[in-house]
Amino acid sequence: MEENNKVIETIGLSKYFYDPIKFQVIKEVDLSINHGEFVAIEGKSGSGKSTLLYLLSTMDTDYEGQLFIHNELVTGQGDAQLAKIRNEKIGFVFQFHYLLLEYNVLKNVMLPGLKFGKYSEKELEQRAMDHLKTLGMDTHALKMPNQLSGGEKQRVAIARALINDPLIIMGDEPTGNLDKKNGDLVFDIFKKLAKEFNQTILVVTHDIDFAKRTDRIITMEDGRIIS
Amino acid sequence: MNFKLILNIAFHLLKARLKQTIVAAVGVTFGIAMFITLISFMGGLNEMLDGLMLNRTPHILLYNEVKPSENQPLSLSEEYKNHTKFIHSIKPKDRGKSVYNSQSIIKVLKQDKRIIDVAPKVTASVLFNSGTIEISGFVNGIDMLAEDKLFKISDYITEGKIADLAQNNSVIIGIGLANKMLLSKGDIIKITTSNGDLTPLKIVGISEIGIAEIDNVMSYTSLATAQKILGQPKSYITDIQVNLYDKESAVELAKEFRKEFNIDTIDYQTANAQFETGSTVRSIISYSVGIVLLIVAGFGIYNILNMMIYEKMDSIAILKATGFSGSDVKWIFISLSIIIGLTGGIFGLLFGFIFSNIIDVIPFETTSLPTVKTYPIVYNIIYYIIGIVFAFCTTIIAGLFPALKASKVDPVEIIRGK
Ligand SMILES: Nc1ncnc2c1ncn2[C@@H]1O[C@H](COP(=O)(O)OP(=O)(O)OP(=O)(O)O)[C@@H](O)[C@H]1O
Ligand SMILES: [Mg+2]
């Protein structure tokens, strides 16, 4: 039973960059994250936090070692399967709220759901509205992304990350680009998701205050996890 | 793969770059419109020139050629069978120009389902006399109904009627002949045949083919009159002209008739080989111009898609991060180019049709083709199908490389690069 509780597990994860010289960014990282945990990865600038997150997200496939998501080995899987895993099991929130400028807020939230195809368009619209309401963004549903403030965009990105009921939400400095007030707001949302919905969350940050308020802090230094 | 979603994304990307999209599509429209217009016009010209030829040339002509016997007596000899033989001073035997057994051949041909009609003809070179002038020329004894059916000869009769030839000893003469001899309808012209017989004929009409060489020497009369002035029986026929429902089969059928009736045959293609060359050259020109225009349009599409990929790197990265595979992204961009190509192409067909219509009403008069009043245009659905297939292919090829590039965009690089 304990085995099934792991959302993400890595064994001996290593990554090298070759340009301009060969150098190891991630060094033999063994890590596991359990269901329902709210985890922060913290560490100095350049310690490899973002790089590690991209590896865990399956977007970066150039690494050594093994990566399991939901106890399934994803290392070595093809582009299409990895895309499917990202679509169904992982929700992303980036520092720079990447929304599709061509679509309105509601459609942005719905898009990964449309790709998944589990719910009908009607149901998805309902679910998207529910998530937007939870995040206090329902009144902005029909706006275009460029009509929103940074904090609002980030909340839309969180709603989008939630649309397929992901196993885990990952964020690379999701509050890094926001002022204190908006950053706190976003943090509170994460906290609430973790507490009320038992949502697994993994966030990279170098905001120590932010990190301290999570359940578990992973500290990185020089490509290694030191605690 | 969810094509509805992919198309939806493609449309939204296009909407965001509407102006450039329209410019790219207009390139395709222009190429296709020019192609359709050119090919329809060239097709019209080809058909007109073919008509010019086919109006006078039967699909197959059966006749008796004056030539030496292919099997000389020596070749029957057993003794010299394996020798190389040289025979000098062979002269053809005069079997006459008459088609042997013409009546039964005509009967058989008339029953052939592949044949539209058969027009028997008697041609003879004669001398036309009027007063002191003597001009050499030809008289064609024709079966009026059949000749009109096959060659629309009445289109070229400028005075009188073809049916008037049914009167005994009547003739229709070429306009050149009439002008030279100062003759007009109702006058009498005397005709001397090669064996010296002189027959006066009444002119009941004037013909104008529009080609001076023909109008200066040609005359028409009925089969019976021609046979009479030549002093020949009713079975005397020199040419049997045949038109087919499927003129492309002329070559084969000519061969078949040659064997079956043991007679000389010639199909219209062989008789007019130079016309075919002209048609082919015109077709090649229109196709090459069309293809060149489309290649230019293709580069336009390639450019806009490439530009779009650079602009939409963020969007591509997001799509990939949220679960769209490389192949999904590739199809989004291929759909983009197909949308541009198809809309551009369909408008191209429309404009091509409109331009063709405009050309079709521009006046164009020529005496050699009295039925042609405007520039010729052919409306052929095949041209339009080729046009849209062209548009489709060029845009797919133009879109393929940018699409492959887009599918390989590494989202990590984009997200990290901010
Ligand atoms: N594409 C690349 N090629 C070569 N080296 C790279 C590349 N990307 C990152 N690095 C290096 O890898 C190391 C780790 O980078 P990473 O972005 O993971 O750091 P980080 O911990 O996220 O830092 P920050 O807190 O500043 O975001 C850095 O030393 C960086 O210079
Ligand atoms: Mg970082």
Side-chain angles (χ1 to χ4, degrees):
Chain A
M1 204 57 218
E2 217 264 329
E3 189 66 15
N4 281 337
N5 209 20
K6 279 179 190 159
V7 172
I8 282 190
E9 186 177 14
T10 69
I11 300 174
L13 209 61
S14 296
K15 179 174 174 70
Y16 298 86
F17 280 121
Y18 298 93
D19 192 29
I21 46 155
K22 181 171 173 179
F23 114 95
Q24 190 171 7
V25 222
I26 304 295
K27 296 168 183 164
E28 309 271 326
V29 166
D30 299 316
L31 168 77
S32 81
I33 291 167
N34 291 327
H35 183 72
E37 277 190 300
F38 184 4
V39 185
I41 301 180
E42 184 264 342
K44 280 210 216 74
S45 185
S47 55
K49 307 182 294 291
S50 299
T51 310
L52 178 64
L53 192 75
Y54 298 137
L55 291 178
L56 300 182
S57 77
T58 77
M59 282 192 281
D60 188 348
T61 54
D62 180 21
Y63 59 86
E64 286 164 16
Q66 289 178 313
L67 169 63
F68 295 86
I69 292 180
H70 220 197
N71 297 314
E72 182 195 355
L73 179 68
V74 299
T75 308
Q77 293 207 25
D79 174 69
Q81 284 110 307
L82 293 180
K84 197 168 149 67
I85 289 170
R86 287 199 292 277
N87 182 239
E88 295 170 7
K89 302 193 170 164
I90 302 173
F92 285 99
V93 185
F94 301 110
Q95 176 173 9
F96 300 94
H97 17 263
Y98 281 87
L99 297 178
L100 291 175
L101 301 176
E102 294 83 8
Y103 285 101
N104 67 20
V105 164
L106 184 62
K107 276 276 175 177
N108 260 290
V109 176
M110 287 168 68
L111 210 58
L114 290 169
K115 169 66 189 165
F116 194 179
K118 191 164 97 181
Y119 297 102
S120 75
E121 200 166 330
K122 263 241 124 53
E123 289 170 298
L124 270 177
E125 201 172 308
Q126 189 53 50
R127 288 171 58 81
M129 281 311 286
D130 290 347
H131 285 305
L132 286 173
K133 196 171 255 163
T134 319
L135 301 171
M137 286 296 295
D138 50 328
T139 50
H140 301 275
L142 298 180
K143 277 190 177 175
M144 295 310 277
N146 57 8
Q147 295 170 313
L148 299 179
S149 76
E152 287 168 341
K153 281 183 197 165
Q154 207 57 307
R155 280 186 272 165
V156 175
I158 295 170
R160 181 182 63 196
L162 287 169
I163 192 75
N164 284 342
D165 302 324
L167 271 179
I168 182 165
I169 288 184
M170 296 184 184
D172 190 358
E173 318 219 6
T175 58
N177 203 36
L178 302 178
D179 61 20
K180 175 99 178 79
K181 187 171 148 260
N182 272 303
D184 283 348
L185 190 72
V186 168
F187 181 85
D188 289 343
I189 289 166
F190 278 132
K191 192 83 193 165
K192 184 170 147 193
L193 289 172
K195 218 178 192 149
E196 290 178 18
F197 301 96
N198 210 19
Q199 176 71 56
T200 316
I201 301 174
L202 175 63
V203 169
V204 165
T205 182
H206 49 232
D207 180 348
I208 298 290
D209 288 341
F210 186 123
K212 274 186 185 146
R213 289 153 69 195
T214 62
D215 304 345
R216 173 179 163 198
I217 300 174
I218 295 172
T219 309
M220 283 195 76
E221 198 176 292
D222 233 0
R224 283 198 183 81
I225 291 180
I226 53 166
S227 71
Chain B
M1 208 177 302
N2 186 344
F3 271 99
K4 201 179 134 214
L5 179 59
I6 285 184
L7 272 181
N8 186 289
I9 296 172
F11 266 117
H12 276 84
L13 288 175
L14 279 186
K15 244 171 53 189
R17 306 297 278 132
L18 200 55
K19 257 189 215 156
Q20 278 91 330
T21 308
I22 289 173
V23 169
V26 164
V28 180
T29 302
F30 185 72
I32 296 291
M34 287 317 281
F35 169 74
I36 293 291
T37 315
L38 254 175
I39 197 92
S40 302
F41 186 39
M42 290 295 181
L45 280 182
N46 280 348
E47 214 161 74
M48 187 184 84
L49 293 167
D50 282 354
L52 200 63
M53 164 192 103
L54 284 174
N55 283 354
R56 297 197 316 272
T57 318
H59 295 167
I60 301 178
L61 179 67
L62 292 81
Y63 64 108
N64 232 342
E65 194 155 23
V66 176
K67 62 179 180 200
S69 170
E70 277 162 27
N71 287 312
Q72 293 293 325
L74 187 61
S75 57
L76 295 174
S77 155
E78 283 293 324
E79 203 183 333
Y80 296 107
K81 199 176 171 196
N82 295 319
H83 290 67
T84 307
K85 296 151 237 167
F86 296 96
I87 310 173
H88 293 280
S89 297
I90 298 174
K91 294 284 179 292
K93 181 180 170 221
D94 185 15
R95 291 170 294 169
K97 285 185 181 164
S98 171
V99 172
Y100 178 69
N101 212 1
S102 59
Q103 298 307 316
S104 59
I105 293 179
I106 292 171
K107 212 167 145 199
V108 172
L109 289 178
K110 283 221 185 216
Q111 273 157 9
D112 198 316
K113 288 264 183 317
R114 297 164 294 184
I115 289 173
I116 299 175
D117 208 353
V118 182
K121 194 163 90 167
V122 173
T123 56
S125 67
V126 294
L127 289 173
F128 298 103
N129 314 65
S130 175
T132 54
I133 327 169
E134 210 168 62
I135 294 176
S136 66
F138 297 91
V139 64
N140 286 316
I142 56 173
D143 175 339
M144 284 90 76
L145 281 179
E147 196 81 6
D148 199 29
K149 187 169 169 192
L150 297 196
F151 308 113
K152 303 209 174 56
I153 190 164
S154 38
D155 285 347
Y156 303 98
I157 308 293
T158 48
E159 268 180 71
K161 287 199 305 288
I162 186 91
D164 294 340
L165 289 179
Q167 302 164 24
N168 260 344
N169 293 346
S170 58
V171 70
I172 290 175
I173 61 170
I175 188 153
L177 208 54
N179 289 345
K180 278 194 210 168
M181 304 180 86
L182 296 175
L183 290 170
S184 54
K185 191 181 158 194
D187 293 339
I188 300 289
I189 185 169
K190 288 186 205 106
I191 290 182
T192 315
T193 58
S194 55
N195 41 20
D197 299 338
L198 189 132
T199 320
L201 296 177
K202 185 178 179 211
I203 298 170
V204 293
I206 306 287
S207 71
E208 184 177 2
I209 303 275
I211 298 170
E213 288 147 49
I214 295 177
D215 289 332
N216 285 345
V217 295
M218 203 50 79
S219 71
Y220 297 96
T221 181
S222 66
L223 270 179
T225 307
Q227 285 156 352
K228 206 163 72 190
I229 59 176
L230 292 169
Q232 297 285 0
K234 267 202 132 5
S235 62
Y236 181 84
I237 299 290
T238 59
D239 299 284
I240 299 174
Q241 310 169 96
V242 172
N243 270 13
L244 307 171
Y245 287 104
D246 173 23
K247 69 180 160 87
E248 303 307 322
S249 65
V251 181
E252 291 156 45
L253 281 188
K255 242 184 234 160
E256 183 186 323
F257 295 154
R258 188 177 315 149
K259 273 220 189 91
E260 190 177 344
F261 303 121
N262 188 24
I263 195 174
D264 292 306
T265 58
I266 186 161
D267 58 275
Y268 77 99
Q269 282 171 2
T270 315
N272 295 281
Q274 75 277 17
F275 274 96
E276 281 297 306
T277 322
S279 305
T280 316
V281 168
R282 278 185 292 275
S283 300
I284 290 174
I285 291 175
S286 15
Y287 278 99
S288 8
V289 170
I291 287 172
V292 166
L293 289 172
L294 280 177
I295 289 175
V296 173
F299 273 108
I301 293 177
Y302 175 84
N303 270 338
I304 166 110
L305 286 185
N306 254 342
M307 219 164 71
M308 212 178 248
I309 287 167
Y310 283 115
E311 269 175 18
K312 297 294 170 194
M313 280 296 186
D314 285 2
S315 300
I316 296 171
I318 300 264
L319 288 171
K320 287 196 157 179
T322 56
F324 287 80
S325 64
S327 135
D328 291 332
V329 171
K330 180 180 74 197
W331 279 106
I332 288 171
F333 279 84
I334 289 182
S335 316
L336 276 177
S337 73
I338 291 178
I339 293 168
I340 295 177
L342 277 190
T343 34
I346 286 166
F347 275 101
L349 295 188
L350 196 69
F351 279 107
F353 182 71
I354 293 171
F355 292 152
S356 304
N357 269 298
I358 292 172
I359 293 177
D360 205 2
V361 297
I362 298 174
F364 173 66
E365 305 268 354
T366 165
T367 48
S368 55
L369 285 166
T371 49
V372 173
K373 299 279 180 253
T374 57
Y375 277 100
I377 287 284
V378 166
Y379 298 95
N380 189 341
I381 185 79
I382 298 290
Y383 299 159
Y384 291 77
I385 292 172
I386 292 174
I388 202 74
V389 169
F390 264 13
F392 200 70
C393 292
T394 8
T395 46
I396 290 222
I397 292 169
L400 201 58
F401 295 102
L404 286 176
K405 201 194 247 164
S407 78
K408 295 205 186 86
V409 166
D410 180 2
V412 174
E413 224 169 275
I414 310 298
I415 293 164
R416 191 191 269 290
K418 271 270 172 172

